[in-house]
Each structure stands twice: as C-alpha cells, then as structure tokens.
Amino acid sequence: MTRRIDHLVVAVQDLDQAGHFYQRLGFQVGSRNRHPWGTENRIIQFDGSFIELITVGEGAAIAPHRESAFSFGGFVQDYLRNREGLAMLVLDSQDAKADAALFAENGIGAFEPFHFERTGRRPDGSETKVAFTLAFTSAEHSPRAGFFVCQQHYPENFWNPEFQRHDNQASRISSVTLTAPEPERLRAFLATFTGVEPRSPDGDDLSFRLAESHIDVLTPDDAAEIYGSIEAELDQPSLVAFAIRVEDIQRQARWLDAAEIPYQHIGSRLIVPASAAFGVAIAFEPTQF
C-alpha cells in the first residue's frame, strides 16, 4: 500500500502568533493541546492529513535522545534553538512496530516505537481520547530534518469533517519540498521511508510519488527558483516548503490581499515566502494543478 503524508511538523517560538497567522491564511486552526512531555501544538486538519504547529511549553520535561530511543520533544527543542520552520515530515503507518523493524533492518534507524496518548477535543468542545504510535527513522547527516511514521489508534476520535472546513477552501497537502546539496544521496533513504522508487524530473532532482501527494528533493538553487526564496541549510538536507490545494486560486489571492500577507505569483501558484511564514514557504495551488 502506498503511504500518504500524515502530517507536517512546523516548529515555532510563539504558538498563538503562528496560529493567528495561519488563520489569516484562511485555515481553521484548532485549540492548543499539550503532550505529556510538554510540547504544545495547534492543528490544521484536512481529509487524511494535517499541519501541526508546535512549540515547547512552559515547564516541559523533555526526555534526552538515547541510542535506541528518538526523543520527539528533544528534536523540536533542538530545532528551535537554531530556527523556526518545517522540522519534520510524517507519513502514515498501519503498523508502527512493523515499520520500526523495517527501518532497523534497512539500517535507517534502530529506534524503539514510541506510544503516547493525549486528550483531544471534539467540535463541540467535549473531550475525547487520541493515541498514536510513532516509528522514527534518520537520514544520514540530517540533524535538522526529521522523519517518522505515525499510526493512529483512535482515528474516529481524531479525524472530523467539521475541523476540515477552511475559509480558503483548502482540501489537502499536495507536496513537500526537501532541499539537499546532493539529492541523489537521499535516494536510498527516502525509497525505504516512503516505500516507492523516485523519478528524476530534472537533472539531479528526485520526486517520490505518494498517495495524492509527492515529496520533491531539490538542490537549494532549484528550490529557490520554484519558490522565489527559501530558508535552507546549504550544507545539509532541509525541509523548506509545502503546497496546499485550494478550490479557487483567484479567491485565495483576494483573501491574501485582504489579509495583507505578502505572496508571489509563480506559474499558477501563489507562494507565501518563508520569511513571512515562520521559516517555511507555503504554496497555494489550484485543485487541477
């Protein structure tokens, strides 16, 4: 079964400020949640995927990394010491324990599966239980680009059409862009992580086709040409941009104008620059892109 993008982890210093910005972009942004170890998030949900805005909350008790245990909170904390932006790419999992074994067998991460639960809220404000098991992996020489898969144990409590109604008529995450000095060096890692072989649309660039989405691995120069400008680590892989499908691109342009959010027209897309969007470029593209 082809994997899909489950969610994107966008690390920010001020969670409420970031939430307000995404509301200005036209998204419905969920209320603040807290993980047991102290990171806090707000979620923008689509049908089958979401954006997780995350920060380190007051009084957080972040576990350190260990050889056999990847610390999610530790990664977010370390990332925020250097910058804000798209910190982690998460794919879906039907069996996180089996995926952890697969990653270990292929030499891309011998980490124990990580299970946790938290309280969620329904649209009416009532509480519900959500639970996840994560299987982490690690790309060589990629300290600021995180990758894992996520298994949902109570999907009926998490996914809700009421949370998926956005003023900008956004329907889904359609792509994620990763930059690397040498994209080819990520071929084997991402092929194992995604379960698909890439195609090479242009020179050294790679594209991994997932269910209703794709991951593009580009040189920093190629990514900057596509997105106008990016904020990337030039000497290591960086997650720098993502694209969102909207029903009416002209309507979205008017929405951004009214919200006084800067953007560029590049081809048929509207690109909100990373400098205005907490370190990650955001592309809005028409449904029939």
PDB file of all heavy atoms in Angstrom, residues 186-203:
ATOM      1  N   LEU A 186      20.056  11.013  -0.974  1.00  0.00           N
ATOM      2  CA  LEU A 186      18.868  10.684  -0.178  1.00  0.00           C
ATOM      3  C   LEU A 186      17.974   9.633  -0.847  1.00  0.00           C
ATOM      4  O   LEU A 186      16.953   9.253  -0.297  1.00  0.00           O
ATOM      5  CB  LEU A 186      18.042  11.954   0.079  1.00  0.00           C
ATOM      6  CG  LEU A 186      18.649  12.963   1.058  1.00  0.00           C
ATOM      7  CD1 LEU A 186      17.838  14.249   1.054  1.00  0.00           C
ATOM      8  CD2 LEU A 186      18.723  12.386   2.460  1.00  0.00           C
ATOM      9  N   ARG A 187      18.377   9.173  -2.026  1.00  0.00           N
ATOM     10  CA  ARG A 187      17.537   8.248  -2.786  1.00  0.00           C
ATOM     11  C   ARG A 187      17.222   6.985  -1.982  1.00  0.00           C
ATOM     12  O   ARG A 187      16.059   6.609  -1.821  1.00  0.00           O
ATOM     13  CB  ARG A 187      18.224   7.871  -4.102  1.00  0.00           C
ATOM     14  CG  ARG A 187      17.443   6.837  -4.923  1.00  0.00           C
ATOM     15  CD  ARG A 187      18.248   6.357  -6.114  1.00  0.00           C
ATOM     16  NE  ARG A 187      18.356   7.394  -7.128  1.00  0.00           N
ATOM     17  CZ  ARG A 187      17.507   7.549  -8.144  1.00  0.00           C
ATOM     18  NH1 ARG A 187      16.480   6.719  -8.283  1.00  0.00           N
ATOM     19  NH2 ARG A 187      17.702   8.505  -9.029  1.00  0.00           N
ATOM     20  N   ALA A 188      18.239   6.313  -1.491  1.00  0.00           N
ATOM     21  CA  ALA A 188      18.021   5.029  -0.814  1.00  0.00           C
ATOM     22  C   ALA A 188      17.229   5.226   0.477  1.00  0.00           C
ATOM     23  O   ALA A 188      16.308   4.450   0.778  1.00  0.00           O
ATOM     24  CB  ALA A 188      19.361   4.360  -0.526  1.00  0.00           C
ATOM     25  N   PHE A 189      17.581   6.251   1.247  1.00  0.00           N
ATOM     26  CA  PHE A 189      16.865   6.504   2.500  1.00  0.00           C
ATOM     27  C   PHE A 189      15.385   6.748   2.249  1.00  0.00           C
ATOM     28  O   PHE A 189      14.514   6.132   2.877  1.00  0.00           O
ATOM     29  CB  PHE A 189      17.474   7.705   3.230  1.00  0.00           C
ATOM     30  CG  PHE A 189      16.595   8.233   4.332  1.00  0.00           C
ATOM     31  CD1 PHE A 189      16.501   7.561   5.540  1.00  0.00           C
ATOM     32  CD2 PHE A 189      15.829   9.374   4.135  1.00  0.00           C
ATOM     33  CE1 PHE A 189      15.666   8.024   6.554  1.00  0.00           C
ATOM     34  CE2 PHE A 189      14.993   9.839   5.147  1.00  0.00           C
ATOM     35  CZ  PHE A 189      14.906   9.163   6.354  1.00  0.00           C
ATOM     36  N   LEU A 190      15.067   7.658   1.332  1.00  0.00           N
ATOM     37  CA  LEU A 190      13.664   8.014   1.092  1.00  0.00           C
ATOM     38  C   LEU A 190      12.895   6.891   0.403  1.00  0.00           C
ATOM     39  O   LEU A 190      11.688   6.751   0.614  1.00  0.00           O
ATOM     40  CB  LEU A 190      13.579   9.307   0.288  1.00  0.00           C
ATOM     41  CG  LEU A 190      13.923  10.576   1.072  1.00  0.00           C
ATOM     42  CD1 LEU A 190      13.989  11.784   0.143  1.00  0.00           C
ATOM     43  CD2 LEU A 190      12.911  10.834   2.192  1.00  0.00           C
ATOM     44  N   ALA A 191      13.569   6.091  -0.391  1.00  0.00           N
ATOM     45  CA  ALA A 191      12.896   4.943  -1.006  1.00  0.00           C
ATOM     46  C   ALA A 191      12.430   3.964   0.069  1.00  0.00           C
ATOM     47  O   ALA A 191      11.323   3.411  -0.004  1.00  0.00           O
ATOM     48  CB  ALA A 191      13.813   4.255  -2.005  1.00  0.00           C
ATOM     49  N   THR A 192      13.259   3.742   1.080  1.00  0.00           N
ATOM     50  CA  THR A 192      12.855   2.873   2.187  1.00  0.00           C
ATOM     51  C   THR A 192      11.784   3.532   3.043  1.00  0.00           C
ATOM     52  O   THR A 192      10.801   2.885   3.433  1.00  0.00           O
ATOM     53  CB  THR A 192      14.074   2.517   3.056  1.00  0.00           C
ATOM     54  OG1 THR A 192      15.054   1.849   2.255  1.00  0.00           O
ATOM     55  CG2 THR A 192      13.680   1.608   4.202  1.00  0.00           C
ATOM     56  N   PHE A 193      11.954   4.806   3.337  1.00  0.00           N
ATOM     57  CA  PHE A 193      10.996   5.522   4.177  1.00  0.00           C
ATOM     58  C   PHE A 193       9.617   5.597   3.532  1.00  0.00           C
ATOM     59  O   PHE A 193       8.591   5.375   4.179  1.00  0.00           O
ATOM     60  CB  PHE A 193      11.534   6.930   4.452  1.00  0.00           C
ATOM     61  CG  PHE A 193      10.623   7.810   5.272  1.00  0.00           C
ATOM     62  CD1 PHE A 193      10.186   7.427   6.530  1.00  0.00           C
ATOM     63  CD2 PHE A 193      10.225   9.051   4.779  1.00  0.00           C
ATOM     64  CE1 PHE A 193       9.348   8.248   7.291  1.00  0.00           C
ATOM     65  CE2 PHE A 193       9.392   9.884   5.529  1.00  0.00           C
ATOM     66  CZ  PHE A 193       8.956   9.476   6.785  1.00  0.00           C
ATOM     67  N   THR A 194       9.566   5.888   2.239  1.00  0.00           N
ATOM     68  CA  THR A 194       8.289   6.058   1.550  1.00  0.00           C
ATOM     69  C   THR A 194       7.736   4.753   0.994  1.00  0.00           C
ATOM     70  O   THR A 194       6.520   4.627   0.785  1.00  0.00           O
ATOM     71  CB  THR A 194       8.424   7.042   0.377  1.00  0.00           C
ATOM     72  OG1 THR A 194       9.344   6.502  -0.591  1.00  0.00           O
ATOM     73  CG2 THR A 194       8.912   8.398   0.852  1.00  0.00           C
ATOM     74  N   GLY A 195       8.615   3.799   0.683  1.00  0.00           N
ATOM     75  CA  GLY A 195       8.186   2.564   0.046  1.00  0.00           C
ATOM     76  C   GLY A 195       8.025   2.664  -1.450  1.00  0.00           C
ATOM     77  O   GLY A 195       7.487   1.746  -2.079  1.00  0.00           O
ATOM     78  N   VAL A 196       8.491   3.752  -2.061  1.00  0.00           N
ATOM     79  CA  VAL A 196       8.399   3.915  -3.517  1.00  0.00           C
ATOM     80  C   VAL A 196       9.749   4.354  -4.079  1.00  0.00           C
ATOM     81  O   VAL A 196      10.553   4.977  -3.383  1.00  0.00           O
ATOM     82  CB  VAL A 196       7.311   4.942  -3.922  1.00  0.00           C
ATOM     83  CG1 VAL A 196       5.941   4.480  -3.457  1.00  0.00           C
ATOM     84  CG2 VAL A 196       7.616   6.333  -3.372  1.00  0.00           C
ATOM     85  N   GLU A 197       9.985   4.024  -5.318  1.00  0.00           N
ATOM     86  CA  GLU A 197      11.189   4.471  -6.011  1.00  0.00           C
ATOM     87  C   GLU A 197      10.932   5.845  -6.629  1.00  0.00           C
ATOM     88  O   GLU A 197       9.825   6.126  -7.098  1.00  0.00           O
ATOM     89  CB  GLU A 197      11.592   3.481  -7.091  1.00  0.00           C
ATOM     90  CG  GLU A 197      12.129   2.171  -6.546  1.00  0.00           C
ATOM     91  CD  GLU A 197      13.415   2.346  -5.758  1.00  0.00           C
ATOM     92  OE1 GLU A 197      14.247   3.201  -6.136  1.00  0.00           O
ATOM     93  OE2 GLU A 197      13.585   1.625  -4.747  1.00  0.00           O
ATOM     94  N   PRO A 198      11.935   6.709  -6.657  1.00  0.00           N
ATOM     95  CA  PRO A 198      11.725   8.055  -7.187  1.00  0.00           C
ATOM     96  C   PRO A 198      11.839   8.114  -8.698  1.00  0.00           C
ATOM     97  O   PRO A 198      12.360   7.202  -9.344  1.00  0.00           O
ATOM     98  CB  PRO A 198      12.867   8.847  -6.547  1.00  0.00           C
ATOM     99  CG  PRO A 198      13.988   7.847  -6.483  1.00  0.00           C
ATOM    100  CD  PRO A 198      13.312   6.527  -6.156  1.00  0.00           C
ATOM    101  N   ARG A 199      11.324   9.192  -9.232  1.00  0.00           N
ATOM    102  CA  ARG A 199      11.651   9.539 -10.608  1.00  0.00           C
ATOM    103  C   ARG A 199      12.506  10.794 -10.575  1.00  0.00           C
ATOM    104  O   ARG A 199      12.546  11.503  -9.561  1.00  0.00           O
ATOM    105  CB  ARG A 199      10.388   9.772 -11.443  1.00  0.00           C
ATOM    106  CG  ARG A 199       9.524  10.929 -11.008  1.00  0.00           C
ATOM    107  CD  ARG A 199       8.237  10.986 -11.820  1.00  0.00           C
ATOM    108  NE  ARG A 199       7.427  12.149 -11.480  1.00  0.00           N
ATOM    109  CZ  ARG A 199       7.534  13.331 -12.088  1.00  0.00           C
ATOM    110  NH1 ARG A 199       8.407  13.507 -13.056  1.00  0.00           N
ATOM    111  NH2 ARG A 199       6.754  14.340 -11.739  1.00  0.00           N
ATOM    112  N   SER A 200      13.218  11.052 -11.633  1.00  0.00           N
ATOM    113  CA  SER A 200      14.105  12.215 -11.701  1.00  0.00           C
ATOM    114  C   SER A 200      13.580  13.172 -12.761  1.00  0.00           C
ATOM    115  O   SER A 200      13.904  13.045 -13.950  1.00  0.00           O
ATOM    116  CB  SER A 200      15.534  11.776 -12.037  1.00  0.00           C
ATOM    117  OG  SER A 200      16.035  10.914 -11.027  1.00  0.00           O
ATOM    118  N   PRO A 201      12.743  14.140 -12.367  1.00  0.00           N
ATOM    119  CA  PRO A 201      12.118  15.013 -13.345  1.00  0.00           C
ATOM    120  C   PRO A 201      13.063  16.019 -13.991  1.00  0.00           C
ATOM    121  O   PRO A 201      12.811  16.501 -15.081  1.00  0.00           O
ATOM    122  CB  PRO A 201      11.040  15.742 -12.524  1.00  0.00           C
ATOM    123  CG  PRO A 201      11.579  15.729 -11.127  1.00  0.00           C
ATOM    124  CD  PRO A 201      12.327  14.436 -10.996  1.00  0.00           C
ATOM    125  N   ASP A 202      14.178  16.342 -13.295  1.00  0.00           N
ATOM    126  CA  ASP A 202      15.055  17.376 -13.837  1.00  0.00           C
ATOM    127  C   ASP A 202      16.452  17.202 -13.272  1.00  0.00           C
ATOM    128  O   ASP A 202      16.706  17.510 -12.109  1.00  0.00           O
ATOM    129  CB  ASP A 202      14.509  18.764 -13.479  1.00  0.00           C
ATOM    130  CG  ASP A 202      15.332  19.888 -14.112  1.00  0.00           C
ATOM    131  OD1 ASP A 202      16.054  19.609 -15.080  1.00  0.00           O
ATOM    132  OD2 ASP A 202      15.251  21.019 -13.626  1.00  0.00           O
ATOM    133  N   GLY A 203      17.350  16.694 -14.086  1.00  0.00           N
ATOM    134  CA  GLY A 203      18.733  16.575 -13.651  1.00  0.00           C
ATOM    135  C   GLY A 203      18.891  15.701 -12.433  1.00  0.00           C
ATOM    136  O   GLY A 203      18.500  14.538 -12.419  1.00  0.00           O
TER     137      GLY A 203
END
